[in-house]
Amino acid sequence: MTKKNNRSADIGVPRRNNTQRILNAAEKIFAAYGLAGARVDDIAQLCDLPKANILYYFGSKEGLYRATLERLLAVWLADADQWIVAEHSPRVGLEGYIRAKMLFSRRKPATSRLFMHELLAGGDCVREFLHTTLRDFVLNKAKVFAHWQEQGLFAPIDPAHFLFLLWSTTQAYADMQVQFAAVLGRKNLIAEDFEKGVETLMQLVDSVCVQKVNAD
Amino acid sequence: MTKKNNRSADIGVPRRNNTQRILNAAEKIFAAYGLAGARVDDIAQLCDLPKANILYYFGSKEGLYRATLERLLAVWLADADQWIVAEHSPRVGLEGYIRAKMLFSRRKPATSRLFMHELLAGGDCVREFLHTTLRDFVLNKAKVFAHWQEQGLFAPIDPAHFLFLLWSTTQAYADMQVQFAAVLGRKNLIAEDFEKGVETLMQLVDSVCVQKVNAD
DNA sequence: GTCTATACACAGATAGAC
DNA sequence: GTCTATCTGTGTATAGAC
């Protein structure tokens, strides 16, 4: 009834709008239960849209799942690449990267958990990403580490396993949040917990960032 | 038919035997898909037993799930407690703990993944464990750290977040195995990868283990 | 105790009114 | 394009033969 003769800005907007609402809800549900465990009904209820509407937009449950994963991978890449670069010192670059990853775990825990679910289920839907884009990312960052080492700014350390360590620790503040919060006697982690996490990790990472004192 | 008049050692054995077979299969399937995503049929197929048999032993899918979790928690505790003790130096104790956790990720990846699944789903079935047993464990280990620090053997570091770091890095070699292997250009991680992981982590952990040189 | 056959509920997908 | 009503396959659980 109120569909025609509206302002032109509205054309196509409801669909884009709904698509985002659905993806946000789907991410939460898939993050908790994975592809096999999630119910389309639950997603529909969470974004307050009819189930048929969702399937109309995305074709099937798996189609919706793949769409949430694609959005995730795009974000993963966009966020990752600005800190670990030759222009930064190891100390500055690694702290920036760790803070960015930790902030992501705090702000978008569902995104991190969705990725973990996909890995636990075997990673079939991200296999290509892992073997190409992510592998290249690691090889690329290994060059930055090597550069730092040539400059005498960074201790010799295996680049891949060092990145594994950064990923696992920062993402754990999303994936294992329930466990960490319970240990700290809380229901959910608070800002200070994430800050403490950054500081503790930086305390260890600092030891491989060589302080240039007097090199001659 | 062959049930009676067998050797006395066999009495009750088939049931115990089957129970273990079922739990092993259930752990694998639940580790990949979680409670909601797992199919009892798949578990039955994996352990080559009729589905009804499984439900007869454990009452329901959730009953079986809780049983696998209980076995998991028992193992978690049994393995954890021998290394981080005041009798060991930080260097020896922490390396022993890290090697034990890493070996566990290598030998029993499904166990680690099952626990991760439970956490992702909200941890309802382990909430009590997290808030009591695990919390006590951390408080207890914090005392060991404090002792080491009084002896001048260990740098000041937040005990809880330090343990979070050890857990997340070691368990990631099970939970994120698909990702790590892909980055390393393999299908599965091999023994050397786990060894490299231990060494990389120890390289960082070493920096908080104060080498007693000349203290006077 | 063990297993086959089946009841029942539920979830993904679709047909068709609006 | 949107949503209600429904079809159909699948999965948990159980009844009942052996």
Side-chain angles (χ1 to χ4, degrees):
Chain A
M1 316 297 194
T2 60
K3 196 150 347 129
K4 290 218 292 200
N5 294 5
N6 263 349
R7 294 204 249 119
S8 61
D10 287 356
I11 290 173
V13 167
R15 179 170 189 141
R16 278 199 67 79
N17 220 359
N18 281 348
T19 301
Q20 287 305 314
R21 271 176 61 196
I22 294 167
L23 283 173
N24 291 337
E27 190 172 70
K28 286 209 184 81
I29 299 295
F30 284 133
Y33 305 111
L35 169 59
R39 305 285 134 90
V40 178
D41 253 333
D42 294 342
I43 296 169
Q45 219 171 327
L46 190 61
C47 64
D48 199 35
L49 248 53
K51 181 168 67 164
N53 199 323
I54 292 173
L55 291 166
Y56 171 71
Y57 283 139
F58 294 95
S60 68
K61 178 166 97 158
E62 189 174 331
L64 173 57
Y65 178 73
R66 288 182 180 273
T68 62
L69 272 184
E70 274 173 38
R71 195 177 65 159
L72 175 160
L73 295 182
V75 172
W76 219 96
L77 291 173
D79 246 37
D81 227 349
Q82 52 181 319
W83 286 105
I84 302 180
V85 289
E87 288 71 35
H88 284 137
S89 73
R91 185 71 170 67
V92 169
L94 291 174
E95 176 157 3
Y97 184 61
I98 287 165
R99 285 194 179 276
K101 293 277 302 172
M102 203 69 110
L103 187 64
F104 192 81
S105 286
R106 188 174 142 214
R107 289 275 160 77
K108 306 266 185 193
T111 309
S112 179
R113 288 174 195 153
L114 171 60
F115 193 64
M116 176 57 83
H117 254 295
E118 172 59 20
L119 294 179
L120 290 173
D124 291 329
C125 299
V126 294
R127 181 144 296 158
E128 171 135 1
F129 169 84
L130 298 177
H131 281 273
T132 59
T133 315
L134 186 65
R135 185 150 204 260
D136 292 344
F137 172 85
V138 171
L139 293 174
N140 185 28
K141 295 311 164 197
K143 284 187 198 155
V144 177
F145 294 153
H147 174 81
W148 284 342
Q149 283 157 0
E150 283 163 26
Q151 307 280 312
L153 296 169
F154 199 55
I157 193 164
D158 185 285
H161 288 271
F162 181 62
L163 284 170
F164 296 167
L165 189 149
L166 298 184
W167 296 339
S168 55
T169 46
T170 52
Q171 290 179 203
Y173 282 77
D175 304 341
M176 302 181 164
Q177 180 153 175
V178 171
Q179 182 180 356
F180 292 177
V183 166
L184 296 173
R186 303 190 213 293
K187 212 189 158 202
N188 293 300
L189 293 182
I190 60 177
E192 292 129 70
D193 298 325
F194 289 91
E195 178 60 29
K196 263 280 179 219
V198 170
E199 284 167 17
T200 305
L201 179 52
M202 275 310 296
Q203 199 174 335
L204 296 187
V205 167
D206 250 337
S207 69
V208 284
C209 300
V210 181
Q211 300 296 336
K212 207 160 196 172
V213 197
N214 266 16
D216 79 316
Chain B
M1 308 345 188
T2 59
K3 198 148 348 124
K4 289 213 300 197
N5 293 6
N6 263 350
R7 294 201 249 123
S8 61
D10 287 354
I11 290 173
V13 166
R15 180 171 188 138
R16 279 198 66 82
N17 219 0
N18 282 347
T19 301
Q20 288 304 315
R21 269 175 63 195
I22 294 167
L23 283 172
N24 290 338
E27 191 171 69
K28 285 208 184 81
I29 299 294
F30 284 133
Y33 305 110
L35 170 59
R39 309 285 141 84
V40 178
D41 253 334
D42 295 342
I43 296 169
Q45 218 171 327
L46 189 61
C47 64
D48 198 37
L49 246 53
K51 183 167 65 162
N53 199 323
I54 293 173
L55 291 166
Y56 170 72
Y57 283 139
F58 293 95
S60 67
K61 179 166 94 159
E62 188 174 332
L64 173 57
Y65 179 72
R66 288 182 180 274
T68 62
L69 272 183
E70 272 173 39
R71 194 177 64 158
L72 176 160
L73 295 181
V75 173
W76 219 95
L77 291 174
D79 245 36
D81 226 348
Q82 51 181 321
W83 286 104
I84 303 180
V85 289
E87 288 71 34
H88 284 137
S89 72
R91 184 71 173 66
V92 169
L94 292 174
E95 176 157 1
Y97 184 60
I98 287 166
R99 286 194 179 276
K101 293 279 302 173
M102 202 69 110
L103 187 65
F104 193 81
S105 286
R106 189 176 141 210
R107 287 277 160 74
K108 306 265 186 191
T111 310
S112 179
R113 290 173 194 152
L114 170 62
F115 193 63
M116 176 57 82
H117 253 295
E118 172 58 20
L119 294 179
L120 291 173
D124 291 330
C125 299
V126 294
R127 182 144 296 157
E128 171 133 1
F129 169 84
L130 298 177
H131 281 273
T132 59
T133 316
L134 185 64
R135 185 150 204 260
D136 292 343
F137 172 85
V138 171
L139 293 174
N140 184 28
K141 294 312 164 198
K143 282 186 199 156
V144 177
F145 295 154
H147 174 82
W148 285 342
Q149 283 156 0
E150 282 164 28
Q151 307 280 312
L153 297 169
F154 199 56
I157 193 163
D158 187 284
H161 289 271
F162 181 62
L163 283 170
F164 296 167
L165 190 149
L166 298 185
W167 295 339
S168 54
T169 46
T170 51
Q171 289 180 206
Y173 281 77
D175 304 341
M176 303 181 162
Q177 180 153 175
V178 172
Q179 182 180 356
F180 293 178
V183 166
L184 297 173
R186 303 191 213 291
K187 211 188 161 204
N188 293 298
L189 292 182
I190 60 177
E192 292 130 70
D193 299 326
F194 289 91
E195 178 60 29
K196 262 280 179 220
V198 170
E199 283 168 18
T200 304
L201 178 52
M202 275 310 295
Q203 200 174 335
L204 297 186
V205 167
D206 249 338
S207 68
V208 286
C209 300
V210 181
Q211 300 296 338
K212 207 160 196 172
V213 196
N214 267 15
D216 81 316

